[in-house]
Amino acid sequence: MKRIALTIATVFTLTFATNAWAEGATTGNNGEAGIESSSVRYVRAPRFVRPLVEKWISEYAKTHSGVEFRLASGPKVKNDISLDIIVEGGSDNSKAFSDKTVYFGETALLPITARNSEASRLLEGKRLNSKKLRQLFFINDEDDDDEQKNKVFEQLTVYSGSNSASVGNAFARSYGENASSFRGRRISGDDLFLNTALQKDPLGVSFNALSNIFDLDSRSLKSALSLVALDVKKEYQQAFSNQATLDEVLSVIETSHPSSVVVEKIGASYDGSDAAVGEFLAWVLESGVAFNHDYGVLNLDASIAQAEARKIDFILTAQK
């Protein structure tokens, strides 16, 4: 099956900042206490991939003592050495293209409602394909022969994220739309708030990244959520039901590539000037990706993963 191609407006940022720029300072550029040296890098990551990045940091520290990586909490500052997490296909930020990009995995976005809600009841058994998903989520003036399904969609309220880091930007571009084309309401803040909005509106429908939909410990769908049924082959329907585990979903998407699932590569883009960052990314590609599934991130196809490893080797060689 042909996977939906994403062209994204969202840029996710991992910021690596050092304390060396703040002369005489005893706190880092991100407002966090730290030693006054260039041995610290602060990592900025969006919520849906942050647990994976935290795991990278803790595991990397066990074998690499020269440079310490920390998860940042404050705003990005002017002199940060930046490494942007992006989704392949494009961005309103041209910097994402001028920098070197190293892909480490893929993200999948699934449509959701609240468990046992009226929206869940109205969509039950409809098994939506890409065309119907587009009609559900976006303003569409095109005529459609299936008036009954359109009437069902009109009863529902779509919730999407409104900030630049929301996965909504990627979801919209995958259908050739802008984020402004979403029907319904825009929710500010983290995409986890989309889940909260659904619980407050029995007619609400949205979408989210796998790590925001599934409990990473139990591997089950979060108890307050329900997956919208997708038009997939019969043998894959269990993997997109409320009884599915995260590991089932990851396996089916990686091996079968259902066309109704929005999937795209995610990677780290940076200017290649910081050898410490390059070495960290080399470790991510060699060892860090082993944790992808644990945190709801899809693995790259083997040939692509090999190409990314060669890319970072080239970057590190150029830095010497």
Side-chain angles (χ1 to χ4, degrees), residues 149-174:
K149 284 189 177 180
N150 278 336
K151 288 179 181 179
V152 169
F153 295 168
E154 289 171 1
Q155 298 177 57
L156 304 175
T157 301
V158 171
Y159 288 90
S160 57
S162 65
N163 62 45
S164 61
S166 172
V167 295
N169 297 290
F171 193 85
R173 291 295 184 91
S174 72

Side-chain angles (χ1 to χ4, degrees), residues 123-140:
L123 292 172
E124 186 176 3
K126 298 213 180 299
R127 301 209 174 279
L128 305 184
N129 58 21
S130 298
K131 179 181 179 181
K132 293 303 179 184
L133 288 167
R134 187 173 186 272
Q135 292 169 352
L136 169 60
F137 284 103
F138 301 99
I139 299 170
N140 195 330

Side-chain angles (χ1 to χ4, degrees), residues 17-29 32-42 66 68 70:
T18 69
N19 290 343
W21 286 302
E23 280 190 26
T26 58
T27 60
N29 284 331
E32 302 181 20
I35 58 174
E36 184 186 346
S37 75
S38 60
S39 65
V40 178
R41 304 291 188 276
Y42 287 98
E68 180 183 0
R70 300 178 187 173

Side-chain angles (χ1 to χ4, degrees), residues 26-99:
T26 58
T27 60
N29 284 331
N30 291 277
E32 302 181 20
I35 58 174
E36 184 186 346
S37 75
S38 60
S39 65
V40 178
R41 304 291 188 276
Y42 287 98
V43 185
R44 192 171 310 281
R47 181 66 63 86
F48 86 92
V49 77
R50 195 176 299 168
L52 174 59
V53 175
E54 289 178 318
K55 182 64 174 178
W56 288 348
I57 291 173
S58 64
E59 292 297 320
Y60 188 73
K62 294 177 181 179
T63 54
H64 297 75
S65 58
V67 175
E68 180 183 0
F69 289 84
R70 300 178 187 173
L71 200 65
S73 60
K76 184 177 179 180
V77 298
K78 183 177 180 180
N79 289 325
D80 280 353
I81 298 174
S82 295
L83 184 151
D84 298 328
I85 290 291
I86 66 169
V87 178
E88 186 191 50
S91 170
D92 291 335
N93 184 346
S94 60
K95 181 180 181 294
F97 301 105
S98 62
D99 291 346

Side-chain angles (χ1 to χ4, degrees), residues 103-115:
Y103 296 104
F104 58 82
E106 295 181 317
T107 184
L109 310 177
L110 296 181
I112 53 174
T113 63
R115 186 76 61 96

